[in-house]
Amino acid sequence: MTDTTSTRSALTFEVNRRSDPTPADAIAKVHENPGFGKTFTDHMAVIDWTSDGGWANARVVPYGPFQLEPAAAVLHYAQEIFEGMKAYRHADGSIWTFRPEANAARFANSARRLALPVLEADDFVESLRQLVSVDRAWVPEPGDSGEKSLYLRPFMFASEAFLGVRPADGITYCVIASPAGAYFSGGLKPVTLWLSINYARAGAGGTGAAKCGGNYASSLAGQLEGIEHGCDQVVFLDSSTHTFIEELGGMNLFIVYKDGRIVTPELTGSILEGVTRRSILALAEEVGLRPEERSIPIQEWKDGAESGAIAEIFACGTAAVITPVGELRWEGGSCNHRREGHDDAVALKLRSKLLDIQYGRVEDTHGWLTRLV
Ligand code: COI
């Protein structure tokens, strides 16, 4: 636990507050049922970058549209990356975030892969602190579901107006924030997954390990196919052999076996290394499970569901936290590991352990929390 609100960032943020901030009762209304990604707070943090001047003009300004030329490179060549994080309100009113150094490191790796400038970890964390400090009233209490928070979305894109294909000289970094409840509208109801055979999300040597908009755009045709088949999310396989499970459109996946193994696809370079994934691997050991990171053939899922060897399957990510998985469907077939009396005990135990740390209800023995406000 890093219990300090002091900064090591060299940037100074100029703060320009909205003259007509959202009234407390309107914020309370949003907090009643925030859903995911629908309502945005009053402000955003912005920093500009140019190849000559580096990072400059750090500021917190009213949330609102960007002035972007139609020739802005991001609109043509998708030079863009983002992160997903949350701010959690603790019982004493303080506001914390979870493993921001891991997100900062991943953001830097994504930046390198997309030929974008690297924002130093201290500046990245400071941008979150500045925004959350100004918009602290927007951070909800955990609520009945125990998972309401303020979702933070740092992102960076090529704002230079230029149509030649090269890394842009003008870049915008921004953080916006949005009150969040459960990612899936059904809450903890198990999600149904579609097995994508026609589409892959990412390939060897591509951008699969980077958190860039292009990966999510490339998942959408599969997502659409899944929706047409009544599914909530898509399981993508490796692009070269169509054999091994990679990840869902925006989440990692875990399979729990009745013999105590908990297995997740190993990082191949085309899978995003989730911060929640990494945390679950650590927590699983603490509850007596045996974590394994390895390649998982899709046939193993089908066989394990059929034989009853699989106890549980769940998806995880910052937005989804831990969400139980139900049926897997594909063109012409389906399987379901869930049997009469199924209880998702492991998923729910890990979920509570994680949320208890994030909301400060137990001691943060891993040093995963950083205080923002
Ligand atoms: C997250 O879990 O934060 C994600 O980035 C997933 C998705 C909402 C894009």
Side-chain angles (χ1 to χ4, degrees), residues 24 78 313:
I313 302 178

Side-chain angles (χ1 to χ4, degrees), residues 36 82-85 151 153 183 211 216 250-251 317-320:
F36 182 83
F82 68 97
E83 271 301 321
M85 308 171 69
Y151 186 77
R153 172 51 66 85
Y183 182 75
K211 202 162 175 68
Y216 294 78
M251 285 150 222
T318 300

Side-chain angles (χ1 to χ4, degrees), residues 82-208:
F82 68 97
E83 271 301 321
M85 308 171 69
K86 283 177 172 170
Y88 306 92
R89 186 179 290 280
H90 287 194
D92 66 357
S94 58
I95 299 171
W96 301 73
T97 194
F98 186 69
R99 307 189 77 175
E101 61 293 333
N103 292 89
R106 189 171 66 183
F107 197 57
N109 286 337
S110 300
R112 288 183 199 100
R113 181 62 185 84
L114 273 286
L116 284 160
V118 169
L119 183 68
E120 291 302 323
D122 289 342
D123 299 336
F124 177 86
V125 175
E126 183 60 13
S127 69
L128 309 176
R129 182 169 282 135
Q130 289 284 334
L131 178 62
V132 173
S133 171
V134 172
D135 279 340
R136 65 184 74 180
W138 286 88
V139 183
E141 301 286 345
D144 294 342
S145 65
E147 64 164 305
K148 287 185 193 168
S149 63
L150 186 67
Y151 186 77
L152 304 174
R153 172 51 66 85
F155 60 107
M156 188 196 289
F157 61 92
S159 41
E160 185 195 5
F162 178 65
L163 293 184
V165 180
R166 58 145 172 77
D169 261 348
I171 303 294
T172 303
Y173 167 79
C174 182
V175 192
I176 55 173
S178 173
Y183 182 75
F184 292 105
S185 52
L188 274 178
K189 197 166 101 347
V191 290
T192 301
L193 301 186
W194 174 250
L195 179 58
S196 176
I197 304 295
N198 295 325
Y199 303 105
R201 172 189 166 274
T207 56

Side-chain angles (χ1 to χ4, degrees), residues 32 52-53 61 67 110 174 177 187 268 277 284 289 294 302 334:
E32 272 172 30
D52 291 345
V61 291
Q67 286 262 357
S110 300
C174 182
T268 54
R277 172 190 179 279
L289 296 164
R294 61 170 170 82
K302 296 177 182 176
S334 70

